[in-house]
Amino acid sequence: MSELSIRQAELILKLYDLRREPVMREARSYVGGEFLPASADELVNIVTSGGKHGSFVLQVYGYWDMVSAFVHNGALEATLVYDTCAELYFQYAKIQPYLAEFRQRMNLPEWMMSIERLVEGSEQGRERLATMKKSLTAMAAARQPTGAVTT
C-alpha cells in the first residue's frame, strides 16, 4: 500500500468519525429519512425556513459537497469514495431533480457543484444515481396513504 493510499484511508476514517458526531448523526437521520422534497419549491422552503430541518439539510449536503471537493482536488480517489460513501449518492438523488431550479431561485449557481461533478461525472456514478432514484421512487410511493391519488 502506498503512502498516498494510507493517507486517503486515514481521511476516509476521519470523515466517517465526523459522520458519527451527534448533531451530524441527527442531521443525517433526517436527511436520509423524512427529508424527501417533491419539488424545488419544497426544497427552497425547507432550506430557507430558518429551522432545524433547514440546518440539517445544509449541514449534510455541505458535508458531502466537501467530500466531493476532496476528490476534485486530489485528496481522495473517486473510486474510494464510490466504494465507501454510497450515502452521498442517495442524498444527492433526493435533490438532483430540483438542483438547477434551486440554484437559480436562490442565486447560488455553484451550490453542490462538487457533488454534481462527482456523481454525474462518470458512468458508474450516473448508474448509481439512477438506482438511487428508483429506490426513492419506491420510498415515496410507500409513504403515500392507501388510496391516495398522485399526479
Side-chain angles (χ1 to χ4, degrees):
M1 194 177 240
S2 71
E3 181 66 28
L4 177 60
S5 296
I6 292 168
R7 286 188 176 171
Q8 288 187 49
E10 289 171 346
L11 179 53
I12 283 289
L13 291 172
K14 177 65 176 167
L15 291 168
Y16 180 78
D17 280 344
L18 291 173
R19 288 170 38 195
R20 295 174 51 218
E21 184 275 330
V23 175
M24 181 59 137
R25 189 177 288 277
E26 185 180 3
R28 288 177 49 238
S29 179
Y30 168 71
V31 173
E34 180 183 339
F35 175 72
L36 196 57
S39 67
D41 284 338
E42 192 175 336
L43 179 58
V44 168
N45 289 339
I46 292 168
V47 169
T48 61
S49 70
K52 187 160 116 172
H53 289 159
S55 295
F56 285 168
V57 168
L58 294 173
Q59 181 177 8
V60 169
Y61 285 100
Y63 172 87
W64 288 122
D65 201 48
M66 176 188 68
V67 170
S68 299
F70 288 169
V71 172
H72 296 296
N73 287 285
L76 288 172
E77 293 292 326
T79 54
L80 182 60
V81 172
Y82 182 88
D83 290 346
T84 61
C85 300
E87 181 181 336
L88 178 153
Y89 296 83
F90 179 71
Q91 305 300 18
Y92 179 70
K94 288 186 167 193
I95 63 166
Q96 189 267 347
Y98 318 115
L99 193 53
E101 185 177 344
F102 178 90
R103 288 173 175 156
Q104 185 272 323
R105 289 180 54 191
M106 299 295 295
N107 195 29
L108 296 169
E110 295 178 350
W111 193 70
M112 301 299 117
M113 190 64 70
S114 292
I115 295 175
E116 182 178 51
R117 281 192 306 244
L118 177 63
V119 174
E120 298 190 41
S122 71
E123 183 63 32
Q124 188 178 39
R126 289 186 299 273
E127 287 174 7
R128 180 174 274 174
L129 176 61
T131 299
M132 296 297 182
K133 283 183 170 185
K134 288 177 186 174
S135 295
L136 288 169
T137 299
M139 284 175 61
R143 291 183 184 183
Q144 292 292 323
T146 304
V149 178
T150 58
T151 57

